[in-house]
Amino acid sequence: MDNQFMNESQATQGNMPLSMNHGAHEVLDVHEVLSASIGAMNTFIFFRPHVQDQELMNILDRQYAFMLDEYNITAECFKTGQDPSHPTRSYKMQMGNDTNYGLTASQPKKPMTSANEINDGIISGFLLACHKTAATGKTTAALESTNPVVRRVLQDSIQNCIEMAYELSLYQNKKGLYQVPQLSPADMQTMLNMYGQADKAKDMPN
């Protein structure tokens, strides 16, 4: 009898089953996150046969495997309200952080007029957009989550979306597909010196 009581207690929180321990905003926002994750993985699968550059192929494959695992643990904790089978992992990109700054003249960007125009630049742009969308959606969902496990899984996942997006942006930058402009040295210095250290307000506690 005691064991049965303990099992029932562990399966509830505030007289509510953990699987039901979600607010309405949370349920709707996590639904959007999981749907977008499926769409992102489908996008990776769809574009993979069209990738020409082996480096981009390696990035796509590593990121897809990571996204699949992260989708599964997010869906798991959302369904059960409890810790997933393993904690959220950290994505590790396999390229340096060097960015090429400056602008050079190039052909204006414009939409394709035929599916035959697909190339690695366009594909990497689609993949990057998936991560930007995911980072925004997961941030919104985490801010609305009342279930502490779901909130933590979403929160830990956001940095992975940023890291994967960063990896793709570095790839694009290295290939000349994404240029990073800079301010003039004088304007840059002015902006860097625009903010100073704050002093504690007199009436605020230490």
Side-chain angles (χ1 to χ4, degrees), residues 12 47 61 74 113 139 149 205:
T12 62
F47 281 117
D61 288 347
T74 305
T113 58
T139 300
V149 176

Side-chain angles (χ1 to χ4, degrees), residues 64-161:
Y64 173 81
F66 190 91
M67 293 160 64
L68 179 63
D69 178 70
E70 204 164 65
Y71 165 82
N72 282 332
I73 64 167
T74 305
E76 180 185 354
C77 73
F78 181 55
K79 185 175 182 178
T80 66
Q82 302 181 60
D83 286 340
S85 50
H86 67 77
T88 309
R89 298 185 171 109
S90 294
Y91 182 77
K92 305 296 184 185
M93 64 179 189
Q94 296 183 0
M95 61 168 30
N97 297 307
D98 294 334
T99 298
N100 297 316
Y101 294 99
L103 297 175
T104 57
S106 61
Q107 291 294 320
K109 296 182 183 297
K110 56 184 179 180
M112 298 187 302
T113 58
S114 168
N116 294 329
E117 297 176 36
I118 193 74
N119 57 43
D120 290 335
I122 292 171
I123 292 171
S124 62
F126 271 105
L127 306 185
L128 176 57
C130 287
H131 295 310
K132 288 184 175 182
T133 299
T136 301
K138 289 176 181 179
T139 300
T140 300
L143 291 169
E144 295 291 349
S145 292
T146 56
N147 182 287
V149 176
V150 172
R151 185 197 62 78
R152 187 182 67 246
V153 169
L154 290 169
Q155 176 181 297
D156 292 344
S157 176
I158 294 165
Q159 64 188 17
N160 291 321
C161 297

Side-chain angles (χ1 to χ4, degrees), residues 22-42:
H22 304 288
H25 278 298
E26 174 185 355
V27 170
L28 295 174
D29 287 342
V30 176
H31 166 74
E32 292 296 324
V33 165
L34 293 172
S35 296
S37 296
I38 291 172
M41 288 185 289
N42 289 344

Side-chain angles (χ1 to χ4, degrees), residues 176-187:
L177 301 167
Y178 175 69
Q179 299 189 63
V180 182
Q182 284 189 304
L183 298 172
S184 69
D187 288 345

